[in-house]
C-alpha cells in the first residue's frame, strides 16, 4: 500500500469520526454545548547517559479537549481528543553518538565487548538510519524500523497521523430494560489489564518502545488505533454487583510495535541494528511482509467483566496479529552447514538477496483477570493470565517456531504507613511476571520458563507536593536488574519537576559469535545476535545508565 493511500485512509477515518456527529438516528438535531474543556502541557525531558552524553532532549506539547453535545435520545455524547507533538533534539545536539552520521564498530557494541567474537564471518555493524544511508536496507525493511532521522526527531508527524493520540466520539443509549449501551468510534487506546512495564492482557494497541524502551508509562507509548467499541453496561443482578460486556473492532491497518531504528537512542533488544546488518554482502532481512487493509486483516475482541463483593474479574478473548517480528529463514534445500563457507554465500539463490523474511502471524488470545480487595490486610491482590495460540518465537536453527504461550502476572498493592518516614501512607506495589513456552526447543534463546519481578515504592510529603519513588525490576533469566529512583516536586499548581536515575546491572552473559549459527549449525543452542533475547530488554540496555530531568508546565 502506498504512503499516499495510507494517508488517505487515515484522513477518511478522521472524517468518519467527525462526520458521525451528524448521522441521523444517532441523536436528533444535536446542539453544541457552550464550552469545550481544554487542558494540556509542555514538557522537556533531558537525559544524560553514562559515557555517552546526552541521550534524550525531548520537547513535547500536548493538548487535550472534550466537547459535550446535546441529544434527545443519547446521553453523555462527547467528542474527545488528544493531540501531541514531539521534537527530540538529541540527534542535533549529540550527533556523534546518535543520528544518521553516527556509527558503531560492530553489532552489539552498545552492550557487548568484542572479546567473544570468533574468527568466522561476522555480521556487519548495523547501518544507522538506513533510509538516510543505505537504499537496499531501506527497501528491504519496507516501512518497518526504517525511519529516517527526521522521523526520530519528529515521531508523531507521519503518514499515520500519530500526532492524533486520541480522536473519538462516544455516547450512551439507555435501553428499554434500564441497561446502557455505549458506542465509541475513533482513534483510541483500549486498555485491558493493569500491569506496569510488561504486558499480559494489554495487547490491543501496539507500543512504541523507541520513545524510552519499557520505562515510559504505557499511556504515553501505546500506538493509538482506529477502533469501534461497544459496551453493554448491564449493572447489578441477582449474582453480581455489576457487570458489562465489551466488543472491540480494530479497523486500522495493522501496525507492529516500534522497536526503534538503528541510530536511535532507544532501540529495544538492539533489534533495529540487527535488522540493518548483513553477513558479508547479504542483508540479514530480505523483506517485511506487509498486510494490506481488508476486512480479513482487521482485529477484534470481546471482554466480560463483573464485580462480586470485593472481587473484580474479567474474561477476555482477542484475535490479532503478533506485534513483535517473527523471522523466517529462507532455507535452501542444498545447504549443508557442515561444509558451508561464508565466502560462498552469494551462490545460494535463496539467500543472496537476504537471509530472513519478517512476518507478523495471527494470534488467538484467551485470558482473564482477577482483583481481590482483602479487608483484613487492607490490600489488593491482582492476577492476570493469557494463553495464546499462533505466536512465533526465534530459533537458531531455522529462524522461528510457532508455539503456544502461557503468561501471567501476580500483583500486590498496599498503602502502608511507615511512621519513621512519614505520617502519610506509602504505596507498595509488587508484581511477578511469568512466561511459559509450551513447545520449547533447545535452540530457542528464550528460556522455557522465565520470571520478571517488579517493585514500586512511592511516598508523599508536603501535602502531596513532593513524591519520592523507586522502581526495581529483575529479569531472572537474564540475571539483569534495573533500579530507577526518582523524586517529583510540584513547584506550583502548573509547574512540575522530576529528577531520576535509571541504573542497570547484569546482562553480562556472552555467547559465541558465529555467522553459521544463522544457517542451522546443529548442536549449539545460542548464538549472537539471537542471544539478545536471553539478555532481555533490561540486560541488553546494561550500558544505558542515565540521569534524567523532566520539567513540565501544565495548563
Amino acid at each position: 500500500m502506498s504512503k499516499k493511500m495510507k494517508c488517505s485512509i487515515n484522513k477518511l477515518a478522521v472524517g468518519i469520526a467527525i462526520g458521525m456527529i451528524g448521522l441521523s438516528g444517532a441523536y436528533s438535531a444535536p446542539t453544541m454545548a457552550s464550552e469545550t474543556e481544554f487542558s494540556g502541557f509542555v514538557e522537556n525531558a533531558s537525559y544524560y547517559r553514562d559515557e555517552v552524553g546526552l541521550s534524550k532532549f525531548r520537547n513535547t506539547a500536548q493538548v487535550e479537549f472534550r466537547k459535550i453535545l446535546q441529544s434527545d435520545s443519547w446521553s453523555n455524547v462527547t467528542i474527545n481528543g488528544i493531540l501531541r507533538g514531539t521534537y527530540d533534539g538529541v540527534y542535533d545536539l549529540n550527533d556523534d553518538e546518535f543520528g544518521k552520521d553516527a556509527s558503531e564498530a560492530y553489532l552489539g557494541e552498545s552492550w557487548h565487548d568484542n572479546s567473544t567474537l570468533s574468527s568466522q564471518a561476522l555480521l556487519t555493524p548495523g547501518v544507522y538510519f538506513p533510509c538516510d544511508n543505505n537504499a537496499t536496507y531501506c527497501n528491504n525493511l519496507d516501512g518497518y524500523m526504517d525511519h529516517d532521522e527526521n522521523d526520530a526527531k519528529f515521531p508523531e508527524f507521519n503518514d499515520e497521523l500519530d500526532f492524533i493520540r486520541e480522536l473519538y466520539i462516544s455516547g450512551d443509549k439507555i435501553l428499554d430494560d434500564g441497561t446502557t449501551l455505549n458506542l465509541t468510534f475513533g482513534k483510541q487506546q483500549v486498555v485491558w489489564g493493569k500491569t506496569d512495564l510488561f504486558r499480559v492482557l494489554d495487547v490491543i494497541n501496539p507500543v512504541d518502545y523507541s520513545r524510552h524502551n519499557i520505562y515510559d508509562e504505557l499511556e504515553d507509548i501505546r500506538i493509538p488505533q482506529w477502533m469501534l467499541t461497544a459496551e453493554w453496561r448491564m449493572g447489578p443482578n441477582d449474582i453480581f454487583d455489576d457487570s458489562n460486556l465489551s466488543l472491540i473492532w480494530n479497523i486500522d491497518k495493522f501496525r507492529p510495535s516500534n522497536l526503534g531504528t538503528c541510530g536511535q537512542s532507544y532501540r529495544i533488544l538492539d533489534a533495529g541494528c540487527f535488522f540493518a546488518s548483513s553477513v558479508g554482502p547479504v542483508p540479514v532481512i530480505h523483506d517485511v511482509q506487509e498486510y494490506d487493509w481488508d476486512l480479513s486483516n482487521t482485529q477484534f475482541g470481546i471482554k466480560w467483566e463483573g464485580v462480586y463483593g470485593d472481587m473484580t474479574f474479567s474474561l477476555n478473548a482477542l484475535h490479532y496479529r503478533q506485534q513483535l517480528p517473527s523471522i523466517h529463514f529462507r532455507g535452501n534445500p542444498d545447504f549443508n552447514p557442515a561444509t558451508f563457507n561464508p565466502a560462498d554465500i552469494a551462490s545460494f539463490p535463496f539467500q543472496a538477496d537476504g537471509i530472513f523474511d519478517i512476518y507478523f502471524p495471527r494470534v488467538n488470545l484467551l485470558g482473564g483477570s482477577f482483583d481481590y480487595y482483602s479487608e483484613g490486610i487492607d490490600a489488593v491482590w491482582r492476577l492476570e493470565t493469557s494463553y495464546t495460540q499462533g505466536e512465533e518465537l526465534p530459533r537458531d536453527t531455522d529462524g522461528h517456531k510457532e508455539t503456544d504461550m502461557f503468561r501471567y502476572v501476580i500483583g500486590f498493592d498496599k498503602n502502608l504507613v511507615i511512621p519513621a518516614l512519614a505520617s502519610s501512607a506509602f504505596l507498595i506495589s509488587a508484581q511477578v511476571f511469568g512466561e511459559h513456552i509450551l513447545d520449547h526447543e533447545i535452540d530457542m534463546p528464550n528460556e522455557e520458563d522465565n520470571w520478571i519481578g517488579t517493585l514500586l515504592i512511592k511516598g508523599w510529603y508536603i501535602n502531596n507536593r513532593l513524591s519520592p519513588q523507586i522502581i526495581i525490576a529483575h529479569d531472572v533469566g537474564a540475571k539483569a536488574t534495573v533500579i530507577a529512583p526518582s523524586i517529583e516536586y510540584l513547584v506550583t499548581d502548573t509547574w512540575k519537576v522530576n529528577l531520576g536515575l535509571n541504573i542497570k546491572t547484569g546482562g553480562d552473559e556472552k555467547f559465541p559469535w558465529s555467522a553459521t549459527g544463522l544457517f542451522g549449525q546443529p548442536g549449539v543452542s545460542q548464538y549472537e545476535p539471537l542471544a539478545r533475547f536471553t539478555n532481555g530488554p533490561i540486560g541488553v540496555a546494561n550500558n544505558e545508565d542515565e540521569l534524567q530531568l523532566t520539567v513540565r508546565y501544565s495548563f
Side-chain angles (χ1 to χ4, degrees):
M1 180 179 293
S2 68
K3 289 187 176 181
K4 183 177 180 181
M5 185 177 294
K6 288 192 290 184
C7 189
S8 298
I9 288 175
N10 283 286
K11 289 180 179 177
L12 177 62
V14 174
I16 292 173
I18 296 175
M20 284 185 67
I21 298 170
L23 288 178
S24 59
Y27 36 89
S28 58
T31 58
M32 296 294 183
S34 58
E35 293 184 1
T36 301
E37 302 172 4
F38 280 98
S39 63
F41 64 84
V42 291
E43 176 186 273
N44 172 266
S46 298
Y47 297 175
Y48 183 90
R49 186 174 298 173
D50 186 32
E51 298 184 358
V52 169
L54 194 69
S55 56
K56 183 186 293 292
F57 190 72
R58 187 181 68 205
N59 302 277
T60 303
Q62 179 166 302
V63 176
E64 304 179 20
F65 62 89
R66 181 172 180 266
K67 184 75 174 181
I68 302 174
L69 307 178
Q70 303 298 325
S71 169
D72 295 333
S73 55
W74 289 68
S75 61
N76 299 324
V77 181
T78 60
I79 300 176
N80 304 267
I82 299 177
L83 308 179
R84 185 177 78 185
T86 299
Y87 161 65
D88 194 340
V90 70
Y91 304 102
D92 293 318
L93 300 175
N94 193 7
D95 55 2
D96 289 339
E97 296 287 346
F98 309 109
K100 63 184 180 182
D101 297 324
S103 64
E104 61 183 11
Y106 55 89
L107 187 66
E109 178 189 16
S110 61
W111 59 282
H112 261 337
D113 60 40
N114 62 1
S115 61
T116 61
L117 302 186
S118 75
S119 60
Q120 303 178 54
L122 302 175
L123 283 86
T124 63
V127 173
Y128 279 23
F129 289 105
C131 283
D132 286 312
N133 292 307
N134 190 303
T136 297
Y137 292 162
C138 181
N139 292 334
N140 288 9
L141 290 172
D142 195 24
Y144 180 62
M145 292 199 297
D146 64 343
H147 298 145
D148 60 30
E149 190 179 73
N150 279 334
D151 292 325
K153 289 181 182 179
F154 307 101
E156 285 89 7
F157 299 100
N158 50 34
D159 291 339
E160 286 79 16
L161 308 180
D162 282 343
F163 69 90
I164 304 175
R165 296 290 298 163
E166 290 184 359
L167 179 61
Y168 61 86
I169 184 170
S170 179
D172 295 338
K173 175 71 172 179
I174 306 300
L175 304 180
D176 292 341
D177 61 358
T179 60
T180 301
L181 174 66
N182 172 269
L183 293 178
T184 301
F185 175 77
K187 197 170 191 179
Q188 54 187 304
Q189 302 179 36
V190 176
V191 181
W192 284 0
K194 302 175 183 178
T195 59
D196 300 318
L197 296 183
F198 301 95
R199 305 184 299 163
V200 175
L201 290 175
D202 187 13
V203 295
I204 296 173
N205 293 80
V207 295
D208 181 5
Y209 291 112
S210 72
R211 190 169 172 88
H212 188 210
N213 206 314
I214 60 173
Y215 303 111
D216 271 13
E217 297 288 343
L218 282 169
E219 66 182 273
D220 294 324
I221 64 174
R222 290 190 195 93
I223 298 175
Q225 300 274 273
W226 293 100
M227 289 186 267
L228 173 65
T229 64
E231 184 178 24
W232 181 23
R233 299 167 184 163
M234 295 175 282
N237 55 35
D238 293 340
I239 300 176
F240 301 110
D241 298 308
D242 195 12
S243 62
N244 60 69
L245 182 69
S246 301
L247 299 175
I248 299 164
W249 184 21
N250 184 341
I251 63 172
D252 215 335
K253 184 177 184 293
F254 170 73
R255 290 181 66 182
S257 292
N258 182 4
L259 307 186
T261 299
C262 195
Q264 288 192 259
S265 49
Y266 299 97
R267 46 186 193 263
I268 191 169
L269 296 173
D270 205 30
C273 282
F274 172 37
F275 293 159
S277 65
S278 65
V279 179
V282 181
V284 165
I285 301 302
H286 164 261
D287 190 29
V288 178
Q289 179 67 39
E290 186 175 14
Y291 303 94
D292 291 335
W293 190 93
D294 59 43
L295 287 177
S296 65
N297 273 331
T298 57
Q299 304 169 77
F300 49 87
I302 184 171
K303 178 177 74 168
W304 177 56
E305 57 185 343
V307 177
Y308 181 81
D310 294 328
M311 296 180 293
T312 302
F313 62 89
S314 74
L315 297 175
N316 308 63
L318 183 67
H319 176 75
Y320 67 113
R321 284 199 179 276
Q322 181 172 309
Q323 296 163 357
L324 297 179
S326 173
I327 54 175
H328 289 212
F329 173 56
R330 304 170 67 224
N332 186 320
D334 299 323
F335 174 69
N336 182 354
T339 60
F340 172 66
N341 183 349
D344 298 331
I345 188 171
S347 66
F348 290 89
F350 298 146
Q351 299 167 353
D353 58 349
I355 301 169
F356 295 106
D357 286 328
I358 290 179
Y359 288 83
F360 300 93
R362 296 179 183 274
V363 177
N364 293 312
L365 176 149
L366 294 174
S369 66
F370 176 84
D371 295 0
Y372 173 68
Y373 171 69
S374 175
E375 185 176 2
I377 59 175
D378 189 25
V380 174
W381 290 94
R382 294 182 283 112
L383 173 67
E384 284 184 33
T385 63
S386 70
Y387 178 85
T388 61
Q389 294 180 317
E391 284 194 61
E392 294 177 356
L393 294 185
R395 294 180 64 182
D396 275 305
T397 56
D398 60 2
H400 78 286
K401 179 179 181 177
E402 181 179 320
T403 175
D404 295 353
M405 301 286 296
F406 178 66
R407 296 182 177 92
Y408 59 90
V409 59
I410 301 172
F412 176 80
D413 304 319
K414 179 175 176 59
N415 290 315
L416 180 66
V417 176
I418 307 176
L421 297 179
S423 58
S424 59
F426 282 76
L427 170 63
I428 312 294
S429 180
Q431 300 176 123
V432 175
F433 296 81
E435 178 181 274
H436 176 67
I437 304 172
L438 275 77
D439 301 306
H440 187 265
E441 300 288 348
I442 191 172
D443 64 334
M444 286 181 174
N446 304 68
E447 299 287 347
E448 182 176 5
D449 290 282
N450 192 34
W451 300 270
I452 297 175
T454 70
L455 174 66
L456 165 68
I457 303 175
K458 186 177 181 66
W460 290 268
Y461 295 89
I462 316 178
N463 295 322
N464 296 334
R465 302 185 76 88
L466 183 69
S467 179
Q469 75 171 29
I470 185 170
I471 298 175
I472 302 171
H474 178 71
D475 187 325
V476 174
K479 304 180 180 66
T481 304
V482 60
I483 303 171
S486 65
I487 186 165
E488 184 176 272
Y489 180 46
L490 188 61
V491 182
T492 68
D493 290 341
T494 56
W495 285 97
K496 182 170 64 178
V497 178
N498 188 292
L499 179 65
L501 294 172
N502 192 286
I503 303 169
K504 293 89 173 175
T505 63
D508 298 323
E509 284 196 73
K510 305 297 190 295
F511 305 94
W513 283 75
S514 173
T516 58
L518 295 172
F519 301 97
Q521 179 71 34
V524 179
S525 61
Q526 292 175 336
Y527 282 104
E528 283 290 5
L530 296 186
R532 63 197 60 221
F533 292 95
T534 301
N535 272 355
I538 298 175
V540 170
N542 63 358
N543 290 329
E544 297 181 7
D545 294 349
E546 291 178 330
L547 173 66
Q548 304 169 348
L549 176 65
T550 302
V551 180
R552 174 180 290 195
Y553 174 77
S554 301
F555 55 87

